[in-house]
Amino acid sequence: MPTSLIITVLVLFLNVASQTSEALDPFACDPKDGMSRNFTFCQVNLPTKSRVDDLIGRLTLQEKIGLLVNGAAAVPRLGMKGYEWWSEALHGVSNVGPGTKFGGAFPGATSFPQVITTAASFNATLWEAIGRVVSDEARAMFNGGVAGLTYWSPNVNILRDPRWGRGQETPGEDPVVVGKYGVSYVRGLQGNDGERLKVAACCKHYTAYDVDNWNGVDRYHFNAKVSKQDMEDTFNVPFKMCVKEGNVASIMCSYNQVNGIPTCADPKLLKKIIRGRWKLDGYIVADCDSVDVFYNQQHYTSTPEEAAADAIKAGLDLDCGPFLGQYTEGAVKKGLLNEKDINNALLNTLTVQMRLGMFDGEPSSTPYGNLGPNDVCTPAHQELALDAARQGIVLLKNQGSQLPLSTLHHHSIAVIGPNSNVTATMIGNYAGVPCQYTTPLQGIGRYASTIYQQGCANVACAGDQPFDAALDAARQADATVLVMGLDLSIEAESRDRTGLLLPGRQQELVSKVAAASKGPTILVLMSGGPIDVSFAENDPKIGAIVWAGYPGQAGGAAISDVLFGTTNPGGKLPMTWYPQDYVTNLPMTDMAMRSNKLTGYPGRTYRFYRGKVVYPFGHGISYTNFAHTIVSAPAMVSVPLGASRNETNSGKAVRVTQARCNGLSLGLQVDVKNIGSVDGAHTLLVYSEPPAGYWAPIKQLVAFEKVFVAAGSQERVGIDIQVCKLMSVVDGSGNRRIPMGAHILYIGDEKHLPQL
C-alpha cells in the first residue's frame, strides 16, 4: 500500500475526538431524569445481558411490539425516545432511508467511489480505512441529531449475472473478495473497542439475491432455486465471513424466496444457520416491507398474523416496515406466537443499542461523543476519497503506450461524451450529498485546455444530431477523451439491464470520433456492470480504454490523474467482462453456477465459465511491469484428521468437519520486482486449481495482496492461505471437502504444486 495512504489512515485515527459538537439529548437513561437513572438497565457497570433482561421485563406487550419496526416507538414512562433504525452507508453516509438528513451544520458527507470501483483496488487496508472515515462522519451526524447509529451496509451479494442493476453495490463476483471486503468494511464501521460498537453495520441481502427486475420477473416474486452446493460455496460465503470474521452486528434477509420459502420466514436460513451455526451476535432485519411482500405478493401465508408469527419464529428480530407492528399482537392473541418469541427478538435489537452506548446517558461523555461538524468532509477524508478512486480505476487497454498523455505534447484535449461532465452519475446509487464534485471535464482541464462536446444528450444516446460538433472537436484537439458508459437510468435498484452493449448510439459515436481524431483517442467508461466493448478493444484508432466504475465525488480528478500519469493505474477487474452473446439466451433467473455440457449452460463467473470473454476477472494494466519470484513455498501440506472418522471420507477428499483445521495454513513468500521505469502498486492474485473432479471450480482465488513497488525496486510479500477454508471444494450435498493430491497455485503466470 502506498506510504501516503498509511499516513492518512494514522491521521484519521489520531483525530477521532478533534471537535466538540452541540450536546445531543440522551436516547435513554438521562442523568437529569431522577426516575430513569435508577433503572437497572441504565447501570453501565452491569453486564449488557443483565441490563437488557431488566429492560425487557419492564415492557408491556404493546410496548414490545412498538420496538419491532424500524420506526421504533418511544416508551416515555421508561425514558426511552423513539428511534429510526434505517440508515445507509454503502460508500459514505447516505440519505437513502429516513434515519439520515443533510442540511444545516451537515450539508454533505464524503462520498467515496461506488463499491464495485473500490473493490477493484483489491486493497483490504483501504476498505477498512474507508469504513473508519464513514463511521467518524456517521457518529458526528448522530451527535448532531441528524443520523442514526445503525447502518444497513455493506451489500455482500455476489455479482453472478452481469446484467444485475445492483451489481455496482457489490464487491464483484468472487466470494472470497466479496467476503473480505465485507469483513474489512464492517471492521472499519464498527470499530475495535471490544463489545462497544462505533456504529452497527449490516451485511445484506441474505441470500441468493441478485435479480431485481428482468424480463417480467421481479425481486418481490422471484423464487431462487439454488443447490446446496452453490449455496455453500458461493452465495453464503460472504455472509458467513461477515458474521464469523467481521463480527457484524446485523444481517438483512432479502425479498426473494429460496427454494420456495421466503428468506425472512425460513428458520433454517435464519435460526439454524445465521444464529445457530455462525453464532451471530446481533440482530436480523427484514429488507423493507419483506414480511408484507411474502404475505401480500407471494401469498406464502393465509393471514397476516401467520406471516408475522412465521417471521418472528424463524428468527427475524426487526421489520423494516409497519407489518409486525400491525399484526404481531393479533398473532399472540390467536396463539400463533408466544411473548417469549418477541422477547428473544428484542434481546437481539436492544443488545445492539446497548453496545452502541444508547443507554449510557449523556452522549457527549461517551466514546465518539465529541465528534461534530468539523469531522465531516475534512481534507483528509476527501483525500482518501480521491485516493480510493485512483486505486480503483482499471486500465483495460493501452496500445502502443498511448497513455499516459503528456502535458508537453497534448496541450488541447477534446472531451466528449454523455458522462464527461456529470456529477451525480459518479456516485452511483445509495449515495448521499457529497462534499463537492470534480467532473472529468474539470479534472482534465487542470492539465490542458479542453474542447467540450457532449456528443449524446444522455447515456441513452438516441440521436446523432450532436455528433458533428463532437467530430469537429476531435479533429482540432491534440488528443481526444471520450467519457461514455452507463448511469442509474440503465442500471439501478429495480432496474436490470437487457444486454451488455453500450446504450443507444454510443458505439457509433465512439467509432466515428476515433476515426476523425487528430491525436490519440482514449475511451473512459463509467459503469457498475461490465460492458461489451469488443469493438473498441479491436479498433486500432482507440489507443486506450479505462474503466472508472462510478468513481465518487473526486472521480474526475482521479480519472485525469491516471490519464496524465500522475497516478499509475493499479486496479484489477473484480468481475468478468462477457461478450453480448453470453447473455443472449441465458436467463438471469437460472441460479446455477456450474456449467453443464449436456444442456449447453455456460456457467457463471471466472470460477465456472470457460468461454470467450472481453476481459477476464483480475485484468488490469499498469504503466510499468512487474515480475514475481516464489521465494519459499511448501511442497506438501499434511491434513490431520480428527479422532472420529466415518464413511463420508474417502482417499480422494476429506470432509472439513473431520479435519483438524485450526492453524492449518500454507505460507508463501513472493518477491515482486518493478522492472519498469514508473513507481506502481501491484495486486498479487493467488489462485488454486484443485485436483480435477466433479465438484471443483476451474480455479478459485485463495489470496490477494496489494503491494507498492518503486521503479527498479523489489518487495517481499508474505501470503498465508487457510487450507480448510480456501483450498477446499463443496460436494453436491453441500459438504466442504479437501481434495487430496496436487493443487496448482497460480501467482500471476507462476505455478506451484503443493501436495495435500
Side-chain angles (χ1 to χ4, degrees), residues 81-133:
K81 292 182 171 62
Y83 179 69
E84 177 54 65
W85 285 83
W86 182 7
S87 291
E88 303 276 357
L90 183 68
H91 51 107
V93 179
S94 169
N95 55 3
V96 175
T100 305
K101 294 178 175 60
F102 289 102
F106 299 95
T110 309
S111 189
F112 290 90
Q114 182 58 288
V115 175
I116 194 72
T117 310
T118 306
S121 71
F122 283 86
N123 187 342
T125 304
L126 172 67
W127 302 337
E128 186 169 341
I130 292 172
R132 283 197 294 270
V133 167

Side-chain angles (χ1 to χ4, degrees), residues 394-647:
V394 182
L395 180 59
L396 299 174
K397 173 185 177 181
N398 195 18
Q399 177 181 291
S401 299
Q402 293 198 29
L403 283 182
L405 299 174
S406 166
T407 54
L408 296 176
H409 302 104
H410 304 112
H411 302 289
S412 62
I413 309 293
V415 183
I416 297 168
N419 282 338
S420 56
N421 198 30
V422 293
T423 53
T425 296
M426 295 194 299
I427 59 177
N429 65 353
Y430 279 80
V433 178
C435 312
Q436 60 182 334
Y437 285 113
T438 303
T439 72
L441 178 63
Q442 291 169 333
I444 294 168
R446 296 174 179 176
Y447 287 93
S449 64
T450 58
I451 307 170
Y452 170 57
Q453 289 294 332
Q454 198 167 348
C456 298
N458 49 47
V459 294
C461 201
D464 65 353
Q465 186 176 355
F467 281 19
D468 287 344
L471 297 179
D472 287 342
R475 293 186 185 105
Q476 298 173 43
D478 296 327
T480 297
V481 175
L482 287 140
V483 191
M484 313 297 286
L486 314 178
D487 64 16
L488 296 187
S489 70
I490 304 295
E491 54 176 359
E493 187 171 13
S494 299
R495 182 177 293 121
D496 295 325
R497 293 157 67 192
T498 56
L500 303 182
L501 300 176
L502 284 168
R505 303 179 72 171
Q506 283 195 44
Q507 179 172 327
E508 180 184 351
L509 174 65
V510 171
S511 296
K512 287 184 174 180
V513 166
S517 180
K518 181 177 74 172
T521 300
I522 313 303
L523 174 61
V524 177
L525 298 167
M526 284 191 196
S527 73
I531 305 171
D532 182 353
V533 287
S534 303
F535 79 97
E537 173 65 27
N538 297 324
D539 187 344
K541 289 288 289 179
I542 299 173
I545 304 174
V546 173
W547 178 69
Y550 294 126
Q553 65 174 49
I559 290 168
S560 60
D561 287 347
V562 167
L563 295 181
F564 282 89
T566 303
T567 294
N568 184 1
K572 303 285 187 183
L573 290 178
M575 72 296 208
T576 302
W577 283 37
Y578 305 89
Q580 169 64 22
D581 289 348
Y582 173 77
V583 299
T584 301
N585 296 308
L586 179 62
M588 272 191 76
T589 49
D590 193 325
M591 301 295 290
M593 295 299 298
R594 287 159 169 78
S595 61
N596 187 320
K597 292 181 179 180
L598 295 178
T599 64
Y601 185 73
R604 295 183 182 274
T605 77
Y606 80 91
R607 296 163 65 224
F608 302 108
Y609 170 67
R610 295 182 182 272
K612 294 180 180 179
V613 300
V614 181
Y615 299 111
F617 174 91
H619 176 71
I621 305 171
S622 171
Y623 294 151
T624 190
N625 293 298
F626 298 92
H628 314 116
T629 303
I630 298 174
V631 179
S632 65
M636 181 173 293
V637 177
S638 298
V639 180
L641 298 180
S644 173
R645 303 186 188 184
N646 59 43
E647 66 280 358

Side-chain angles (χ1 to χ4, degrees), residues 208 211 217-224 256-257 298 589 591:
V211 173
V217 179
D218 66 38
R219 57 185 176 167
Y220 306 118
H221 299 89
F222 180 50
N223 176 24
N256 57 291
Q257 297 184 355
Q298 298 175 7
T589 49
M591 301 295 290

Side-chain angles (χ1 to χ4, degrees), residues 289-335:
D289 296 317
S290 285
V291 185
D292 182 279
V293 164
F294 78 66
Y295 169 66
N296 279 309
Q297 299 195 44
Q298 298 175 7
H299 307 296
Y300 183 70
T301 63
S302 300
T303 68
E305 292 81 10
E306 288 173 336
D310 281 3
I312 293 173
K313 288 193 294 186
L316 187 70
D317 302 312
L318 185 70
D319 182 18
C320 179
F323 197 92
L324 291 188
Q326 295 169 341
Y327 298 108
T328 299
E329 186 172 1
V332 173
K333 289 179 178 178
K334 290 183 176 183

Side-chain angles (χ1 to χ4, degrees), residues 4-54:
S4 60
L5 178 58
I6 297 174
I7 293 171
T8 301
V9 173
L10 291 173
V11 170
L12 294 177
F13 178 78
L14 292 171
N15 284 327
V16 161
S18 62
Q19 171 69 20
T20 301
S21 61
E22 294 183 11
L24 175 70
D25 289 338
F27 165 76
C29 303
D30 190 337
K32 297 187 292 292
D33 183 343
M35 176 186 66
S36 66
R37 68 185 178 189
N38 294 320
F39 291 141
T40 299
F41 66 80
C42 292
Q43 307 306 307
V44 297
N45 294 326
L46 292 177
T48 300
K49 177 68 163 56
S50 300
R51 298 172 68 193
V52 174
D53 286 344
D54 176 73

